[in-house]
Amino acid sequence: MTSAERRAGMSLAAIFALRMLGLFLILPVFAVYAEGIPGGDDLTLVGLAIGAYGLTQACLQIAYGAASDRFGRKPVIVFGLLLFVAGSVVAALATDIHTIIAGRVLQGAGAISAAVTALAADLTREQHRTKVMAMIGSSIGLVFALSMVAAPLLYAAIGMSGIFWLTAVLACAAIVVVLRVVPAAPPVPRANGGRFLDVLRDGQLMRLNFGVFTLHLIQTTMWVMVPAGLVAAGLLVPEHWKVYLPAVLLSFVVMVPAVIIAERRNLMKPVFNAAICLLALVQFGLWLFGDGLLPLAVLLTMFFVAFNVLEATQPSWISRIAPAHSKGTALGVYNTLQSIGLFLGGLLGGWLGQRFGAGAVSLVCGALALLWLLLASSMTPPPVRAVPAPGKS
C-alpha cells in the first residue's frame, strides 16, 4: 500500500469509529436508563430507540450514495455528519423515550456510510481494498469494545444526556478529519450520476445486500437481549466489559489472518461462507447454551470473528463488482439494506424477546443466517486486478 492509501484507510476508519462510538455508547446502559423515564418500561420502545436511527438511514442511504456520485464524496459526508450532530443534541435534551427516538431518527438522517465506503474505494487500488475495508470494519469492532468498557463509567459520571452530548462532539471531530486529514478523491465518472435500476438488476449485488441486511439485523437483535442475558448469568452491567473486550480482541487474532488469506490466496468465497456458517452456529448456540456466562463469552467471541470478517469482505466485494459510474449508488443500496437490518433488528428483537423469549430471537436469526448461506453459495467472487501504484509501471 502507498502512504496515501494508508492515510486514506486510517482517516476513513477514524470517521467511522468516531460516528459509531457515539451510536454504540448507549447500548450497554440505555435499557437501564429507560426504566426511569416516561415510556421506558416498554421493551418494544426501548428496542425502537436502539434501532431507530436505522430507519432514516434506510430511507436516505441511496440518496446520499447517488449524491456523492454527482456532487462528490466529501460535501455529502460533511452534510450527513452535521445532521448527526443535530440528532445527538435532540436526544441529549430529551426527557422521555419518544423524544429520544426522534433524536435517534435524526441521527440516522446523517446516512454517510455509502459515501464514506465509496470514497475508500476511490482512494485505494483493488488489490488493497479489502485491507482498507478491514481497517474500517476493525475500527467498528474496536470502538464497540471501547463503548462496552466506557459506557457504564460515562453513564455514572455524566448520565445519558452527557453521553448524547459526547456523541455530538465526536461527530464534530469526524468533520475535522474529513476536511483536514482525508486525501482528496480522484475524479470518477459522474456524468449522469448513479444508475439505480442497474444496481437492482444485478443478482450478485442484491445477494450482498441481503447479506448485510441479515448481518446487522442479527447484530442489533443480539444487543437487545445479550446484556440482560449477562445480568441473568450473574454479571452486573459495569462488569460486562470483562466479556466484551476479550471477545473482540480475540476475534481480531482470527479475523486479520482470515482476511489476508482471502485476499492473497484468492479464497474470498470459502472464507466468506465460513464466516456465515459461524454466524449461524452462534445463533443456534445461543438458543441451546445461552444461559451460562462461559457459553455466552465463547459465543460472543465467535460472533465477533464472523462479524469482523464479513464487515471487511462484503464492502470490498461490492465495490469491485459495482460499475464505476454507479459505485456510490450501489453502496447506497447496500447501506440502505444494512440500515433496514439495524432498524428491524432492534424492533424485532424487542418484540420477539418480550413475547416469546430470547430463544425465539436466536432461532429466527439462525434461520436467516442459513438462508444467507444458501444465497451466498451461488455467488462468484470477482478476481482481484492488480493495479500499479501511482508513478509505477
Side-chain angles (χ1 to χ4, degrees):
M1 294 176 68
T2 65
S3 60
E5 286 174 321
R6 287 192 293 270
R7 179 184 170 194
M10 294 175 66
S11 58
L12 291 172
I15 292 168
F16 258 99
L18 289 169
R19 180 170 173 268
M20 296 308 294
L21 180 59
L23 295 172
F24 287 150
L25 278 172
I26 80 161
L27 294 182
V29 294
F30 184 75
V32 176
Y33 165 76
E35 292 175 355
I37 61 173
D41 57 344
D42 188 330
L43 189 58
T44 301
L45 288 179
V46 173
L48 181 59
I50 291 173
Y53 74 96
L55 178 63
T56 38
Q57 286 207 102
C59 295
L60 295 173
Q61 285 286 5
I62 295 173
Y64 274 68
S68 76
D69 284 333
R70 184 175 296 273
F71 303 114
R73 315 296 189 204
K74 284 192 175 185
V76 170
I77 294 169
V78 171
F79 177 76
L81 286 170
L82 288 172
L83 286 180
F84 185 85
V85 171
S88 300
V89 172
V90 170
L93 297 173
T95 56
D96 59 75
I97 190 74
H98 299 94
T99 308
I100 290 177
I101 291 171
R104 295 281 285 171
V105 167
L106 187 54
Q107 281 183 324
I112 63 169
S113 297
V116 172
T117 312
L119 182 55
D122 293 342
L123 292 171
T124 55
R125 291 164 292 155
E126 287 194 6
Q127 66 265 37
H128 299 299
R129 196 163 294 155
T130 302
K131 297 187 187 77
V132 171
M133 299 304 176
M135 288 182 190
I136 293 173
S138 298
S139 72
I140 294 172
L142 280 172
V143 298
F144 182 83
L146 177 61
S147 70
M148 297 302 105
V149 176
L153 301 174
L154 287 170
Y155 180 64
I158 61 177
M160 184 57 62
S161 177
I163 289 176
F164 280 122
W165 283 116
L166 179 60
T167 67
V169 173
L170 292 172
C172 290
I175 292 174
V176 174
V177 173
V178 173
L179 297 177
R180 302 293 297 273
V181 182
V182 177
V188 295
R190 292 184 183 126
N192 298 312
R195 297 176 183 173
F196 182 60
L197 290 179
D198 291 346
V199 173
L200 294 185
R201 290 170 181 155
D202 191 309
Q204 291 268 87
L205 291 176
M206 293 311 293
R207 288 182 182 90
L208 288 167
N209 292 334
F210 177 81
V212 77
F213 164 81
T214 300
L215 180 63
H216 286 269
L217 182 146
I218 290 173
Q219 179 203 24
T220 313
T221 57
M222 285 180 64
W223 267 267
V224 174
M225 307 307 301
V226 163
L230 290 173
V231 170
L235 197 66
L236 298 177
V237 171
E239 298 180 321
H240 285 191
W241 68 270
K242 295 178 181 179
V243 172
Y244 295 138
L245 185 59
V248 172
L249 295 178
L250 286 172
S251 74
F252 288 147
V253 175
V254 180
M255 182 274 288
V256 172
V259 169
I260 292 173
I261 290 170
E263 186 174 71
R264 291 186 179 177
R265 301 186 181 180
N266 200 26
L267 294 174
M268 180 76 77
K269 185 173 180 178
V271 171
F272 187 77
N273 287 348
I276 301 173
C277 283
L278 186 59
L279 187 67
L281 287 173
V282 168
Q283 300 311 307
F284 293 119
L286 287 171
W287 174 52
L288 293 171
F289 311 111
D291 294 332
L293 185 57
L294 181 59
L296 274 173
V298 172
L299 289 166
L300 283 173
T301 303
M302 293 167 60
F303 168 77
F304 280 118
V305 170
F307 180 83
N308 288 331
V309 169
L310 293 166
E311 277 287 282
T313 53
Q314 284 196 110
S316 174
W317 195 331
I318 204 166
S319 69
R320 289 175 183 172
I321 63 179
H325 65 272
S326 299
K327 194 171 292 180
T329 304
L331 287 163
V333 175
Y334 173 85
N335 283 284
T336 295
L337 270 294
Q338 178 190 71
S339 301
I340 292 173
L342 288 167
F343 168 68
L344 290 180
L347 192 62
L348 182 66
W351 184 82
L352 280 175
Q354 185 162 318
R355 285 159 179 77
F356 304 104
V361 176
S362 299
L363 280 177
V364 169
C365 290
L368 279 172
L370 290 179
L371 177 58
W372 180 14
L373 180 62
L374 181 64
L375 293 173
S377 64
S378 62
M379 294 182 65
T380 303
V384 178
R385 296 186 296 273
V387 179
K392 296 183 179 181
S393 57

